């Protein structure tokens, strides 16, 4: 039986610095977000302050609606270019190394700490040592119905690495489709969709209906930044599809302003339902269901708006010429762009560890929060600089290129 040959190496795509900037913004912003959960009423974070407030979740909600969805959309864009360049086999191998290795390492080496601190914070009489707790963390079993979170346990968790689990699963799911789908037929369909989207205003907002339906009827999952886990697959696939035709990029630039206003309006309309419903993420009352639908639609609109607006701004600037002597700003930009995945992996255990000590203070919430954010940011960046990026072994363990 004849098999398809792997494609030749494709030229590298044009670098889109605005997408790198979004990734950096979201990952650094997670330090602020997870630090805020320490002080949020009604949230089951690892370590909780004695004094909490409802205001934090209201403010944080606007970040939740677009931040992680946008990371998956950008990941889908990158997956399309990587598949064209490496072929199916090379893409799968690269994803297993860049995502699978840090996932396994961090789950085993870093994730027990937040769970241990959760127990110590919740019970003043809990005195089990960290080494004594580790066997209980590693006591696991398989639950296929929780795919792709197959490994479960009383204390075991992938924690904040759920993003890496889903991204790896989605990436590997692409491989058989890339190998066996009738590509000419797919190209023809994509060409028709791209042409219709370019010629008819409003077509780009149709996927909002799909996200509204998933959020309304499949419900939301608090453990995955407020979205249902399979909503992220749609964002990932959307990014993959958008990367294949520059007409989609032109549409996002054209309709970015409308998308921004519509997204903000839909998110505002969803707010009262989330505030008034007893269990807005899961209950099937008319109010909660409608609010989740508005939330899902708002998410898609904002995911269209943010890259589109940044792309407009970038195209409006004169094209920069290569600089043999990069500025301090350019060096910092390059430094953080390479650090996105390690910083993501490192930040939450550090936030929890710092919060464990900060929450014992007798100080106003704003003071404790500011101190927590500053210390956690400094320690996360220091850990990356001193413990991750300087050796080949640690770069490999955190998914970085040699």
């Amino acid at each position: 039986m004849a098999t398809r040959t792997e494609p030749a190496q494709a030229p590298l795509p044009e670098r889109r610095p605005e997408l790198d900037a979004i990734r950096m913004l979201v990952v650094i912003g997670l330090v602020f977000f997870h630090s805020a959960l320490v002080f949020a009423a009604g949230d089951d974070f690892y370590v909780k302050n004695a004094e909490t407030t409802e205001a934090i979740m209201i403010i944080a909600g606007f970040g939740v609606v677009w931040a992680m969805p946008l990371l998956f959309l950008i990941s889908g864009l990158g997956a399309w270019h990587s598949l064209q360049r490496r072929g199916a086999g090379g893409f799968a191998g690269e994803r297993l190394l860049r995502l699978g290795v840090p996932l396994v390492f961090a789950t085993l080496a870093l994730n027990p700490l937040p769970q241990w601190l959760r127990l110590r914070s919740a019970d003043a009489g809990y005195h089990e040592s960290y080494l004594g707790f580790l066997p209980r963390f590693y006591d696991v079993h398989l639950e296929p119905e929780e795919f792709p979170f197959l490994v479960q346990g009383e204390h075991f968790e992938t924690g904040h690495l759920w993003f890496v689990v889903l991204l790896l699963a989605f990436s590997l799911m692409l491989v058989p489709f890339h190998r066996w789908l009738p590509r000419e037929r797919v190209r023809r369909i994509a060409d028709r969709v791209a042409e219709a989207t370019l010629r008819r205003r409003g077509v780009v907002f149709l996927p909002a209906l799909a996200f509204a339906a998933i959020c309304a009827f499949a419900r939301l999952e608090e453990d995955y930044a407020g979205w249902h886990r399979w909503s992220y697959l749609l964002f990932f696939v959307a990014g993959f599809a958008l990367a294949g035709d520059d007409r989609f990029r032109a549409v996002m630039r054209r309709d970015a302003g409308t998308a921004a206003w519509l997204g903000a309006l839909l998110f505002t309309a969803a707010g009262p339902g989330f505030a008034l419903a007893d269990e807005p993420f899961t209950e099937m009352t008319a109010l909660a269901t409608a609010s989740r639908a508005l939330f899902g639609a708002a998410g898609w609109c904002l995911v269209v708006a943010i890259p589109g607006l940044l792309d407009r701004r970038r195209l409006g600037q004169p094209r920069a010429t290569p600089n043999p002597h990069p500025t301090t700003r350019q060096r910092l930009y390059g430094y953080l762009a390479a650090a996105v995945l390690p910083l993501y992996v490192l930040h939450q255990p550090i936030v929890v560890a710092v919060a464990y000590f900060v929450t014992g203070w007798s100080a106003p919430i704003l003071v404790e929060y500011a101190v927590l954010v500053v210390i956690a940011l400094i320690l996360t960046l220091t850990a990356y600089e001193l413990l991750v990026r300087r050796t080949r072994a640690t770069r490999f363990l955190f998914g970085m290129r040699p």
Side-chain angles (χ1 to χ4, degrees), residues 7-317:
Q9 291 276 336
L12 289 174
E14 175 197 5
R15 192 76 182 180
R16 293 185 60 182
E18 77 278 10
L19 300 184
D20 287 331
I22 291 170
R23 292 167 64 240
M24 289 184 282
L25 173 66
V26 171
V27 171
I28 296 297
L30 286 173
V31 175
F32 291 81
F33 175 74
H34 286 133
S35 296
L37 295 184
V38 174
F39 307 96
D43 181 80
D44 183 29
F45 197 61
Y46 299 92
V47 176
K48 299 297 292 186
N49 195 50
E51 182 184 358
T52 59
T53 174
E54 298 279 358
I56 286 176
M57 294 309 293
I58 296 173
I59 296 170
F62 189 70
V64 165
V65 75
W66 62 265
M68 298 308 293
L70 198 44
L71 279 189
F72 279 101
L73 184 108
I74 293 171
S75 298
L77 287 163
W80 189 90
H81 293 295
S82 184
L83 265 171
Q84 306 312 306
R85 192 165 67 251
R86 294 185 172 91
F91 173 75
E94 189 264 352
R95 293 291 86 186
L96 287 169
L97 287 177
R98 295 288 308 283
L99 297 175
V101 170
L103 172 62
V104 173
F105 170 74
T107 299
L108 298 179
L110 301 180
N111 280 7
L113 178 63
Q115 286 289 65
W116 180 65
L117 291 176
R118 182 200 294 273
L119 296 174
R120 289 183 66 88
S121 177
D123 182 3
Y126 176 79
H127 299 298
E128 184 179 33
S129 70
Y130 184 63
L131 291 178
F133 168 73
L134 287 179
R136 294 206 288 146
F137 181 85
Y138 298 138
D139 183 14
V140 299
H141 58 275
L142 295 179
E143 291 189 15
E145 65 274 13
E146 291 295 325
F147 180 84
F149 302 95
L150 300 174
V151 182
Q152 299 286 325
E154 182 182 358
H155 299 288
F156 177 88
E157 64 164 11
T158 53
H160 67 298
L161 300 178
W162 63 263
F163 167 73
V164 184
V165 175
L166 289 178
L167 183 55
L168 178 60
F170 298 163
S171 298
L172 296 180
M173 288 163 64
L174 275 180
V175 172
F177 284 99
H178 182 77
R179 281 186 179 275
W180 304 116
L181 275 181
R183 297 184 192 176
E184 285 304 318
R185 183 181 300 175
V186 170
R187 285 195 189 98
R188 287 196 296 270
I189 294 172
D191 181 70
R192 293 194 199 103
V193 172
E195 188 61 28
T197 306
L198 187 63
R199 295 178 61 180
R200 299 182 181 178
R201 280 187 171 272
V203 174
V204 73
F205 299 116
L206 290 180
L209 300 176
F211 288 104
I214 289 179
C215 291
F217 300 112
R219 305 169 188 174
L220 304 179
E221 296 182 290
E222 188 174 351
D223 290 342
Y224 309 120
W227 288 83
H228 191 279
R229 69 189 75 178
W230 295 112
S231 299
Y232 292 122
L233 176 59
L234 289 188
F235 284 112
F236 180 80
V237 170
F240 188 83
L242 293 173
D245 196 310
D246 273 347
R247 285 174 290 184
F248 290 123
R249 182 177 173 184
V251 168
M252 292 176 75
R253 288 196 302 268
R254 182 193 69 192
D255 294 338
T258 303
W261 283 106
L262 183 57
L265 179 64
L266 291 169
F267 178 78
T268 302
F274 280 94
L276 296 174
D278 292 330
E279 297 291 342
F281 279 30
T282 56
E283 69 181 46
M284 294 302 293
T285 62
L287 177 64
T289 302
S291 297
R292 291 195 299 270
L294 292 169
F295 175 90
W300 173 253
C301 292
L302 293 171
V303 162
V304 169
I306 293 169
L309 290 172
L310 291 176
D311 203 14
R312 276 187 191 178
R313 181 175 181 274
R314 175 173 171 262
L315 291 181
Q317 296 174 340

